[in-house]
Short mmCIF file of all heavy atoms in Angstrom, two decimals:
data_model
loop_
_atom_site.label_atom_id
_atom_site.label_comp_id
_atom_site.label_asym_id
_atom_site.label_seq_id
_atom_site.Cartn_x
_atom_site.Cartn_y
_atom_site.Cartn_z
N MET A 12 -8.87 -2.71 7.38
CA MET A 12 -7.95 -1.68 6.97
C MET A 12 -7.32 -1.08 8.21
O MET A 12 -7.92 -1.10 9.28
CB MET A 12 -8.67 -0.66 6.11
CG MET A 12 -9.36 0.46 6.83
SD MET A 12 -10.16 1.64 5.71
CE MET A 12 -11.79 1.55 6.39
N LYS A 13 -6.13 -0.55 8.05
CA LYS A 13 -5.44 0.12 9.15
C LYS A 13 -5.67 1.62 9.04
O LYS A 13 -5.61 2.19 7.95
CB LYS A 13 -3.95 -0.17 9.12
CG LYS A 13 -3.59 -1.53 9.63
CD LYS A 13 -2.10 -1.65 9.80
CE LYS A 13 -1.79 -3.03 10.37
NZ LYS A 13 -0.38 -3.16 10.68
N VAL A 14 -5.91 2.24 10.19
CA VAL A 14 -6.08 3.68 10.27
C VAL A 14 -5.10 4.19 11.31
O VAL A 14 -4.96 3.60 12.39
CB VAL A 14 -7.52 4.07 10.67
CG1 VAL A 14 -7.65 5.56 10.85
CG2 VAL A 14 -8.52 3.55 9.66
N ALA A 15 -4.43 5.28 10.99
CA ALA A 15 -3.48 5.90 11.92
C ALA A 15 -3.99 7.29 12.29
O ALA A 15 -4.57 8.00 11.47
CB ALA A 15 -2.10 6.01 11.30
N ILE A 16 -3.76 7.64 13.55
CA ILE A 16 -4.10 8.97 14.06
C ILE A 16 -2.79 9.72 14.30
O ILE A 16 -1.87 9.19 14.90
CB ILE A 16 -4.88 8.85 15.39
CG1 ILE A 16 -6.24 8.22 15.14
CG2 ILE A 16 -5.00 10.20 16.06
CD1 ILE A 16 -7.02 7.95 16.41
N ILE A 17 -2.76 10.96 13.83
CA ILE A 17 -1.61 11.84 14.07
C ILE A 17 -2.14 13.00 14.91
O ILE A 17 -2.61 14.01 14.37
CB ILE A 17 -0.99 12.33 12.74
CG1 ILE A 17 -0.65 11.14 11.85
CG2 ILE A 17 0.24 13.20 13.02
CD1 ILE A 17 -0.30 11.52 10.43
N PRO A 18 -2.13 12.85 16.23
CA PRO A 18 -2.79 13.83 17.10
C PRO A 18 -2.27 15.26 16.96
O PRO A 18 -3.04 16.21 17.10
CB PRO A 18 -2.56 13.31 18.51
CG PRO A 18 -1.74 12.09 18.40
CD PRO A 18 -1.51 11.77 16.97
N GLU A 19 -0.99 15.41 16.67
CA GLU A 19 -0.45 16.77 16.56
C GLU A 19 -0.98 17.53 15.34
O GLU A 19 -0.86 18.75 15.27
CB GLU A 19 1.08 16.77 16.58
CG GLU A 19 1.75 15.83 15.66
CD GLU A 19 1.91 14.41 16.19
OE1 GLU A 19 1.56 14.11 17.35
OE2 GLU A 19 2.40 13.58 15.43
N LYS A 20 -1.62 16.83 14.41
CA LYS A 20 -2.24 17.50 13.25
C LYS A 20 -3.71 17.83 13.49
O LYS A 20 -4.30 18.60 12.74
CB LYS A 20 -2.13 16.61 12.01
CG LYS A 20 -0.74 16.53 11.44
CD LYS A 20 -0.77 15.78 10.12
CE LYS A 20 0.57 15.82 9.42
NZ LYS A 20 0.46 15.22 8.08
N CYS A 21 -4.31 17.24 14.52
CA CYS A 21 -5.74 17.39 14.76
C CYS A 21 -6.06 18.81 15.26
O CYS A 21 -5.39 19.33 16.15
CB CYS A 21 -6.20 16.36 15.79
SG CYS A 21 -7.97 16.42 16.14
N ILE A 22 -7.11 19.40 14.68
CA ILE A 22 -7.56 20.72 15.11
C ILE A 22 -8.89 20.64 15.87
O ILE A 22 -9.53 21.65 16.11
CB ILE A 22 -7.68 21.69 13.92
CG1 ILE A 22 -8.66 21.15 12.88
CG2 ILE A 22 -6.31 21.99 13.33
CD1 ILE A 22 -9.03 22.15 11.78
N ALA A 23 -9.32 19.44 16.21
CA ALA A 23 -10.54 19.21 17.01
C ALA A 23 -11.79 19.74 16.32
O ALA A 23 -12.68 20.28 16.97
CB ALA A 23 -10.38 19.80 18.40
N CYS A 24 -11.87 19.55 15.01
CA CYS A 24 -13.04 20.05 14.28
C CYS A 24 -14.27 19.16 14.48
O CYS A 24 -15.40 19.61 14.30
CB CYS A 24 -12.74 20.20 12.80
SG CYS A 24 -12.59 18.65 11.88
N GLY A 25 -14.07 17.88 14.83
CA GLY A 25 -15.19 16.99 15.11
C GLY A 25 -15.74 16.25 13.91
O GLY A 25 -16.66 15.46 14.05
N LEU A 26 -15.21 16.49 12.73
CA LEU A 26 -15.75 15.88 11.52
C LEU A 26 -15.67 14.36 11.54
O LEU A 26 -16.64 13.68 11.18
CB LEU A 26 -15.01 16.42 10.29
CG LEU A 26 -15.54 15.97 8.94
CD1 LEU A 26 -16.96 16.51 8.73
CD2 LEU A 26 -14.63 16.46 7.83
N CYS A 27 -14.57 13.79 11.99
CA CYS A 27 -14.41 12.34 11.93
C CYS A 27 -15.45 11.61 12.78
O CYS A 27 -15.97 10.57 12.38
CB CYS A 27 -13.00 11.91 12.30
SG CYS A 27 -12.45 12.43 13.93
N GLN A 28 -15.79 12.18 13.91
CA GLN A 28 -16.77 11.52 14.77
C GLN A 28 -18.17 11.58 14.16
O GLN A 28 -19.00 10.73 14.44
CB GLN A 28 -16.77 12.13 16.16
CG GLN A 28 -17.55 11.29 17.15
CD GLN A 28 -17.49 11.83 18.55
OE1 GLN A 28 -17.48 13.04 18.75
NE2 GLN A 28 -17.46 10.96 19.53
N THR A 29 -18.42 12.55 13.30
CA THR A 29 -19.72 12.59 12.64
C THR A 29 -19.86 11.47 11.62
O THR A 29 -20.97 11.05 11.30
CB THR A 29 -19.99 13.94 11.94
OG1 THR A 29 -19.07 14.12 10.86
CG2 THR A 29 -19.89 15.10 12.92
N TYR A 30 -18.73 10.97 11.11
CA TYR A 30 -18.76 9.87 10.16
C TYR A 30 -18.80 8.51 10.85
O TYR A 30 -19.44 7.59 10.36
CB TYR A 30 -17.52 9.90 9.25
CG TYR A 30 -17.60 10.93 8.16
CD1 TYR A 30 -16.85 12.10 8.23
CD2 TYR A 30 -18.40 10.73 7.05
CE1 TYR A 30 -16.92 13.05 7.22
CE2 TYR A 30 -18.48 11.68 6.05
CZ TYR A 30 -17.73 12.83 6.13
OH TYR A 30 -17.80 13.76 5.14
N SER A 31 -18.10 8.34 11.96
CA SER A 31 -17.99 7.02 12.56
C SER A 31 -17.76 7.09 14.07
O SER A 31 -16.97 7.91 14.54
CB SER A 31 -16.84 6.25 11.92
OG SER A 31 -16.65 5.00 12.55
N GLY A 32 -18.39 6.17 14.78
CA GLY A 32 -18.20 6.05 16.21
C GLY A 32 -16.88 5.42 16.60
O GLY A 32 -16.57 5.30 17.78
N VAL A 33 -16.07 5.04 15.60
CA VAL A 33 -14.72 4.51 15.87
C VAL A 33 -13.85 5.60 16.49
O VAL A 33 -12.93 5.32 17.23
CB VAL A 33 -14.09 3.98 14.56
CG1 VAL A 33 -12.60 3.72 14.70
CG2 VAL A 33 -14.80 2.72 14.11
N PHE A 34 -14.19 6.86 16.19
CA PHE A 34 -13.39 7.98 16.65
C PHE A 34 -14.07 8.69 17.82
O PHE A 34 -15.28 8.81 17.88
CB PHE A 34 -13.17 8.98 15.51
CG PHE A 34 -12.56 8.35 14.31
CD1 PHE A 34 -13.31 8.10 13.17
CD2 PHE A 34 -11.22 7.96 14.31
CE1 PHE A 34 -12.75 7.49 12.06
CE2 PHE A 34 -10.65 7.36 13.20
CZ PHE A 34 -11.43 7.12 12.08
N ASP A 35 -13.26 9.16 18.74
CA ASP A 35 -13.72 9.91 19.90
C ASP A 35 -12.70 11.02 20.13
O ASP A 35 -11.79 11.21 19.33
CB ASP A 35 -13.83 8.99 21.11
CG ASP A 35 -14.72 9.55 22.20
OD1 ASP A 35 -15.27 10.67 22.04
OD2 ASP A 35 -14.88 8.89 23.24
N TYR A 36 -12.83 11.72 21.25
CA TYR A 36 -11.93 12.84 21.54
C TYR A 36 -11.46 12.77 22.97
O TYR A 36 -12.20 12.37 23.86
CB TYR A 36 -12.64 14.17 21.28
CG TYR A 36 -13.04 14.28 19.84
CD1 TYR A 36 -14.30 13.92 19.43
CD2 TYR A 36 -12.12 14.65 18.89
CE1 TYR A 36 -14.66 13.95 18.10
CE2 TYR A 36 -12.45 14.69 17.56
CZ TYR A 36 -13.73 14.35 17.16
OH TYR A 36 -14.05 14.37 15.86
N ASN A 37 -10.22 13.22 23.19
CA ASN A 37 -9.71 13.30 24.56
C ASN A 37 -10.22 14.60 25.20
O ASN A 37 -11.00 15.34 24.58
CB ASN A 37 -8.18 13.18 24.59
CG ASN A 37 -7.46 14.34 23.93
OD1 ASN A 37 -8.02 15.41 23.70
ND2 ASN A 37 -6.21 14.14 23.62
N ASP A 38 -9.77 14.90 26.39
CA ASP A 38 -10.25 16.08 27.11
C ASP A 38 -9.92 17.40 26.41
O ASP A 38 -10.57 18.41 26.64
CB ASP A 38 -9.67 16.11 28.53
CG ASP A 38 -10.22 14.99 29.39
OD1 ASP A 38 -11.30 14.44 29.06
OD2 ASP A 38 -9.58 14.64 30.40
N ASP A 39 -8.91 17.38 25.54
CA ASP A 39 -8.53 18.58 24.79
C ASP A 39 -9.21 18.66 23.44
O ASP A 39 -8.94 19.57 22.66
CB ASP A 39 -7.01 18.61 24.60
CG ASP A 39 -6.27 18.74 25.92
OD1 ASP A 39 -6.77 19.46 26.82
OD2 ASP A 39 -5.20 18.13 26.06
N GLY A 40 -10.07 17.68 23.12
CA GLY A 40 -10.77 17.68 21.84
C GLY A 40 -9.99 17.05 20.71
O GLY A 40 -10.40 17.13 19.56
N ILE A 41 -8.87 16.42 21.02
CA ILE A 41 -8.03 15.80 20.00
C ILE A 41 -8.50 14.37 19.75
O ILE A 41 -8.83 13.64 20.67
CB ILE A 41 -6.54 15.82 20.43
CG1 ILE A 41 -6.10 17.26 20.73
CG2 ILE A 41 -5.65 15.17 19.38
CD1 ILE A 41 -6.25 18.23 19.57
N VAL A 42 -8.52 13.98 18.49
CA VAL A 42 -9.05 12.68 18.09
C VAL A 42 -8.27 11.51 18.71
O VAL A 42 -7.05 11.56 18.84
CB VAL A 42 -9.09 12.54 16.55
CG1 VAL A 42 -7.70 12.54 15.94
CG2 VAL A 42 -9.86 11.30 16.13
N ILE A 43 -9.03 10.51 19.14
CA ILE A 43 -8.51 9.23 19.62
C ILE A 43 -9.45 8.14 19.11
O ILE A 43 -10.55 8.44 18.64
CB ILE A 43 -8.44 9.17 21.17
CG1 ILE A 43 -9.81 9.39 21.80
CG2 ILE A 43 -7.41 10.14 21.72
CD1 ILE A 43 -9.88 9.18 23.30
N PHE A 44 -9.03 6.90 19.20
CA PHE A 44 -9.95 5.80 18.92
C PHE A 44 -10.85 5.61 20.14
O PHE A 44 -10.39 5.74 21.28
CB PHE A 44 -9.20 4.51 18.62
CG PHE A 44 -8.50 4.52 17.29
CD1 PHE A 44 -7.12 4.50 17.21
CD2 PHE A 44 -9.22 4.54 16.11
CE1 PHE A 44 -6.47 4.51 15.99
CE2 PHE A 44 -8.58 4.56 14.88
CZ PHE A 44 -7.20 4.55 14.82
N THR A 45 -12.09 5.27 19.91
CA THR A 45 -13.07 5.12 20.99
C THR A 45 -12.65 4.08 22.02
O THR A 45 -12.79 4.30 23.21
CB THR A 45 -14.45 4.76 20.41
OG1 THR A 45 -14.86 5.80 19.53
CG2 THR A 45 -15.49 4.59 21.49
N ASP A 46 -12.12 2.96 21.55
CA ASP A 46 -11.85 1.85 22.47
C ASP A 46 -10.38 1.48 22.58
O ASP A 46 -10.05 0.36 22.95
CB ASP A 46 -12.66 0.63 22.06
CG ASP A 46 -12.34 0.17 20.64
OD1 ASP A 46 -11.53 0.84 19.96
OD2 ASP A 46 -12.89 -0.85 20.22
N SER A 47 -9.50 2.42 22.26
CA SER A 47 -8.07 2.10 22.28
C SER A 47 -7.25 3.37 22.44
O SER A 47 -7.62 4.43 21.94
CB SER A 47 -7.69 1.40 20.97
OG SER A 47 -6.30 1.21 20.89
N LYS A 48 -6.12 3.25 23.11
CA LYS A 48 -5.19 4.36 23.24
C LYS A 48 -4.10 4.31 22.17
O LYS A 48 -3.23 5.16 22.11
CB LYS A 48 -4.56 4.38 24.62
CG LYS A 48 -5.57 4.64 25.72
CD LYS A 48 -4.90 4.87 27.05
CE LYS A 48 -5.89 5.03 28.16
NZ LYS A 48 -6.68 6.21 28.13
N GLU A 49 -4.17 3.31 21.32
CA GLU A 49 -3.20 3.14 20.24
C GLU A 49 -3.35 4.26 19.21
O GLU A 49 -4.41 4.85 19.06
CB GLU A 49 -3.37 1.78 19.56
CG GLU A 49 -3.19 0.60 20.48
CD GLU A 49 -1.79 0.50 21.05
OE1 GLU A 49 -0.82 0.76 20.30
OE2 GLU A 49 -1.66 0.18 22.23
N LYS A 50 -2.29 4.50 18.46
CA LYS A 50 -2.31 5.49 17.38
C LYS A 50 -2.58 4.85 16.02
O LYS A 50 -2.93 5.54 15.08
CB LYS A 50 -0.98 6.26 17.33
CG LYS A 50 -0.65 7.00 18.61
CD LYS A 50 -1.59 8.16 18.83
CE LYS A 50 -1.17 8.96 20.04
NZ LYS A 50 -2.08 8.87 21.14
N VAL A 51 -2.40 3.53 15.94
CA VAL A 51 -2.69 2.79 14.70
C VAL A 51 -3.57 1.63 15.09
O VAL A 51 -3.29 0.92 16.05
CB VAL A 51 -1.40 2.28 14.02
CG1 VAL A 51 -1.73 1.46 12.78
CG2 VAL A 51 -0.47 3.43 13.68
N LYS A 52 -4.65 1.44 14.33
CA LYS A 52 -5.59 0.39 14.66
C LYS A 52 -6.13 -0.24 13.38
O LYS A 52 -6.36 0.45 12.39
CB LYS A 52 -6.75 0.98 15.47
CG LYS A 52 -7.76 -0.02 15.91
CD LYS A 52 -8.80 0.63 16.80
CE LYS A 52 -9.82 -0.42 17.18
NZ LYS A 52 -10.86 0.12 18.03
N THR A 53 -6.33 -1.54 13.43
CA THR A 53 -6.99 -2.23 12.32
C THR A 53 -8.49 -2.20 12.59
O THR A 53 -8.94 -2.61 13.66
CB THR A 53 -6.50 -3.69 12.21
OG1 THR A 53 -5.08 -3.66 11.97
CG2 THR A 53 -7.18 -4.41 11.06
N VAL A 54 -9.22 -1.67 11.63
CA VAL A 54 -10.67 -1.55 11.75
C VAL A 54 -11.34 -2.26 10.58
O VAL A 54 -10.69 -2.55 9.57
CB VAL A 54 -11.11 -0.06 11.79
CG1 VAL A 54 -10.56 0.64 13.02
CG2 VAL A 54 -10.68 0.67 10.54
N ALA A 55 -12.61 -2.50 10.70
CA ALA A 55 -13.36 -3.14 9.61
C ALA A 55 -13.36 -2.23 8.38
O ALA A 55 -13.31 -1.00 8.50
CB ALA A 55 -14.79 -3.38 10.06
N ASP A 56 -13.41 -2.85 7.21
CA ASP A 56 -13.55 -2.07 5.99
C ASP A 56 -14.94 -1.45 6.00
O ASP A 56 -15.94 -2.13 5.81
CB ASP A 56 -13.37 -2.95 4.76
CG ASP A 56 -11.92 -3.37 4.54
OD1 ASP A 56 -11.03 -2.73 5.12
OD2 ASP A 56 -11.69 -4.33 3.79
N ASP A 57 -14.99 -0.17 6.25
CA ASP A 57 -16.26 0.53 6.41
C ASP A 57 -16.19 1.83 5.61
O ASP A 57 -15.29 2.64 5.82
CB ASP A 57 -16.48 0.81 7.90
CG ASP A 57 -17.78 1.51 8.21
OD1 ASP A 57 -18.32 2.22 7.34
OD2 ASP A 57 -18.27 1.34 9.34
N PRO A 58 -17.14 2.05 4.71
CA PRO A 58 -17.09 3.28 3.91
C PRO A 58 -17.17 4.56 4.75
O PRO A 58 -16.63 5.59 4.36
CB PRO A 58 -18.29 3.15 2.96
CG PRO A 58 -19.12 2.05 3.48
CD PRO A 58 -18.27 1.19 4.35
N ASP A 59 -17.84 4.49 5.91
CA ASP A 59 -17.92 5.68 6.77
C ASP A 59 -16.56 6.04 7.37
O ASP A 59 -16.21 7.21 7.47
CB ASP A 59 -18.94 5.46 7.89
CG ASP A 59 -20.37 5.36 7.36
OD1 ASP A 59 -20.64 5.92 6.27
OD2 ASP A 59 -21.19 4.73 8.04
N ILE A 60 -15.80 5.02 7.75
CA ILE A 60 -14.46 5.27 8.28
C ILE A 60 -13.57 5.83 7.18
O ILE A 60 -12.81 6.78 7.40
CB ILE A 60 -13.86 3.99 8.89
CG1 ILE A 60 -14.69 3.54 10.10
CG2 ILE A 60 -12.40 4.21 9.30
CD1 ILE A 60 -14.33 2.19 10.65
N LEU A 61 -13.68 5.26 6.00
CA LEU A 61 -12.89 5.74 4.86
C LEU A 61 -13.23 7.20 4.55
O LEU A 61 -12.34 8.01 4.29
CB LEU A 61 -13.13 4.85 3.65
CG LEU A 61 -12.27 5.13 2.43
CD1 LEU A 61 -10.78 5.01 2.76
CD2 LEU A 61 -12.64 4.18 1.31
N MET A 62 -14.51 7.56 4.63
CA MET A 62 -14.90 8.95 4.40
C MET A 62 -14.32 9.87 5.46
O MET A 62 -13.90 10.99 5.16
CB MET A 62 -16.42 9.07 4.37
CG MET A 62 -17.06 8.47 3.13
SD MET A 62 -16.55 9.26 1.60
CE MET A 62 -17.27 10.86 1.79
N ALA A 63 -14.28 9.41 6.70
CA ALA A 63 -13.69 10.22 7.77
C ALA A 63 -12.22 10.50 7.49
O ALA A 63 -11.76 11.63 7.64
CB ALA A 63 -13.85 9.51 9.12
N VAL A 64 -11.51 9.46 7.06
CA VAL A 64 -10.08 9.63 6.76
C VAL A 64 -9.91 10.58 5.57
O VAL A 64 -9.10 11.51 5.62
CB VAL A 64 -9.43 8.26 6.46
CG1 VAL A 64 -8.01 8.44 5.95
CG2 VAL A 64 -9.44 7.38 7.70
N LYS A 65 -10.66 10.37 4.51
CA LYS A 65 -10.51 11.19 3.30
C LYS A 65 -10.91 12.65 3.52
O LYS A 65 -10.38 13.54 2.87
CB LYS A 65 -11.35 10.61 2.16
CG LYS A 65 -10.76 9.34 1.60
CD LYS A 65 -11.56 8.86 0.41
CE LYS A 65 -10.88 7.68 -0.25
NZ LYS A 65 -11.56 7.26 -1.47
N ASN A 66 -11.85 12.89 4.43
CA ASN A 66 -12.35 14.25 4.62
C ASN A 66 -11.72 15.01 5.78
O ASN A 66 -12.06 16.16 6.01
CB ASN A 66 -13.87 14.22 4.78
CG ASN A 66 -14.54 13.89 3.47
OD1 ASN A 66 -14.32 14.56 2.48
ND2 ASN A 66 -15.36 12.84 3.46
N CYS A 67 -10.78 14.38 6.48
CA CYS A 67 -10.11 15.09 7.57
C CYS A 67 -9.35 16.29 6.97
O CYS A 67 -8.47 16.12 6.12
CB CYS A 67 -9.13 14.16 8.30
SG CYS A 67 -8.23 14.99 9.61
N PRO A 68 -9.68 17.50 7.41
CA PRO A 68 -9.09 18.69 6.78
C PRO A 68 -7.60 18.86 7.02
O PRO A 68 -6.92 19.54 6.24
CB PRO A 68 -9.87 19.85 7.40
CG PRO A 68 -10.40 19.32 8.69
CD PRO A 68 -10.63 17.84 8.46
N THR A 69 -7.07 18.24 8.06
CA THR A 69 -5.64 18.41 8.36
C THR A 69 -4.84 17.12 8.14
O THR A 69 -3.66 17.08 8.45
CB THR A 69 -5.44 18.86 9.82
OG1 THR A 69 -5.95 17.84 10.68
CG2 THR A 69 -6.13 20.18 10.09
N LYS A 70 -5.52 16.08 7.66
CA LYS A 70 -4.89 14.77 7.44
C LYS A 70 -4.36 14.17 8.74
O LYS A 70 -3.34 13.52 8.77
CB LYS A 70 -3.78 14.85 6.38
CG LYS A 70 -4.24 15.44 5.05
CD LYS A 70 -5.36 14.63 4.46
CE LYS A 70 -5.84 15.24 3.15
NZ LYS A 70 -7.22 14.98 2.86
N ALA A 71 -5.10 14.41 9.83
CA ALA A 71 -4.75 13.81 11.12
C ALA A 71 -5.09 12.32 11.14
O ALA A 71 -4.65 11.60 12.02
CB ALA A 71 -5.46 14.53 12.25
N LEU A 72 -5.90 11.88 10.18
CA LEU A 72 -6.22 10.47 10.00
C LEU A 72 -5.61 10.02 8.68
O LEU A 72 -5.76 10.71 7.66
CB LEU A 72 -7.73 10.26 9.95
CG LEU A 72 -8.54 10.77 11.13
CD1 LEU A 72 -10.04 10.60 10.86
CD2 LEU A 72 -8.15 10.04 12.39
N THR A 73 -4.94 8.88 8.71
CA THR A 73 -4.31 8.38 7.49
C THR A 73 -4.50 6.87 7.38
O THR A 73 -4.85 6.21 8.36
CB THR A 73 -2.79 8.68 7.45
OG1 THR A 73 -2.16 7.97 8.51
CG2 THR A 73 -2.51 10.16 7.57
N LEU A 74 -4.26 6.36 6.21
CA LEU A 74 -4.24 4.92 5.95
C LEU A 74 -2.80 4.52 5.71
O LEU A 74 -2.29 4.70 4.61
CB LEU A 74 -5.10 4.56 4.73
CG LEU A 74 -6.57 4.96 4.80
CD1 LEU A 74 -7.25 4.72 3.47
CD2 LEU A 74 -7.27 4.21 5.92
N PRO A 75 -2.11 4.04 6.75
CA PRO A 75 -0.67 3.74 6.59
C PRO A 75 -0.41 2.56 5.67
O PRO A 75 -1.23 1.76 5.42
CB PRO A 75 -0.22 3.41 8.01
CG PRO A 75 -1.44 3.06 8.76
CD PRO A 75 -2.59 3.71 8.07
#
């Protein structure tokens, strides 16, 4: 599945990283992918990643 990050919507709450190690944070606490600087990434179909996307309070993570 593809996941997109919209950094300007991120409030650095940390919820997504509690669901999956696919997500990390930059020096300002804004979400990034752990192993990529891309804003859209194809990741394995993983229920934890899907939960991170669905539970992001600001919709900074989306399924494009």
Side-chain angles (χ1 to χ4, degrees):
M12 87 179 125
K13 283 190 178 185
V14 176
I16 293 175
I17 306 168
E19 50 275 357
K20 288 187 173 186
C21 181
I22 59 170
C24 72
L26 185 64
C27 58
Q28 193 177 35
T29 66
Y30 283 106
S31 176
V33 167
F34 305 106
D35 199 0
Y36 299 95
N37 66 17
D38 292 339
D39 296 323
I41 303 302
V42 66
I43 58 173
F44 289 113
T45 300
D46 59 357
S47 173
K48 295 189 184 292
E49 300 297 320
K50 301 291 186 248
V51 178
K52 182 176 178 180
T53 299
V54 296
D56 288 343
D57 181 334
D59 292 335
I60 296 171
L61 187 58
M62 289 298 293
V64 172
K65 287 184 174 185
N66 288 304
C67 178
T69 63
K70 305 301 178 209
L72 304 174
T73 64
L74 301 173

